[in-house]
Amino acid sequence: MRYLLLPIIIIPAIEISLLLLSGKTIGVLPTVFLILLTGVVGAYLAKKQGIATLKKAQEEMRHGSMPADAVLDGICILIGGTLLLTPGFVTDLLGFLMLVPQTRMFFKRILYRLFKNWMNRGTITVIR
């Protein structure tokens, strides 16, 4: 929780500042349109990527292997889609980065290390 406190305070402040600046620079209606557009595009991309990841996981399980990579993809897609539905330019950028397969690799490495640390410390338990 202590790691989330600072982002919970800073990110909305940055988002509000950017939205106000955008409204002043390009106008209120274009800013609202951009927010709605990124939400719709984000929902579409999340659905498309999510279905592809689900098929990938099913294929891996059909071949008898654990879909660890597909699970990390799914977590990134879930977080990315949620960020894209959140109004704001910073969250939209992060959301798009998590949905694009080439840039998602960066976030997957972070998640892998995070889960591995949790398992090593006994914070998370894997049931076999």
Side-chain angles (χ1 to χ4, degrees):
M1 185 65 180
R2 63 179 177 220
Y3 298 113
L4 292 177
L5 185 61
L6 196 58
I8 286 174
I9 294 170
I10 291 176
I11 291 175
I14 293 171
E15 294 288 14
I16 291 169
S17 301
L18 288 174
L19 288 171
L20 289 172
L21 180 65
S22 174
K24 188 176 181 180
T25 305
I26 64 172
V28 174
L29 288 178
T31 301
V32 171
F33 177 73
L34 276 173
I35 292 169
L36 293 175
L37 179 68
T38 58
V40 169
V41 170
Y44 170 76
L45 284 174
K47 180 181 177 185
K48 183 179 174 186
Q49 293 287 324
I51 290 171
T53 300
L54 185 59
K55 287 180 182 179
K56 180 181 170 186
Q58 289 173 338
E59 187 65 29
E60 288 177 5
M61 286 188 288
R62 215 173 284 132
H63 286 72
S65 62
M66 286 297 294
D69 193 52
V71 169
L72 290 176
D73 276 332
I75 292 169
C76 287
I77 291 167
L78 176 67
I79 294 169
T82 304
L83 288 172
L84 279 166
L85 291 174
T86 309
F89 296 118
V90 175
T91 53
D92 287 346
L93 177 64
L94 282 172
F96 277 120
L97 289 174
M98 292 186 108
L99 288 181
V100 175
Q102 293 80 7
T103 55
R104 188 183 316 141
M105 297 300 291
F106 170 76
F107 297 104
K108 283 171 51 176
R109 277 189 238 122
I110 292 172
L111 281 174
Y112 178 79
R113 278 188 251 135
L114 185 67
F115 285 130
K116 191 172 181 174
N117 286 340
W118 285 344
M119 287 172 31
N120 288 340
R121 282 187 280 160
T123 310
I124 192 171
T125 305
V126 178
I127 301 172
R128 293 182 186 199

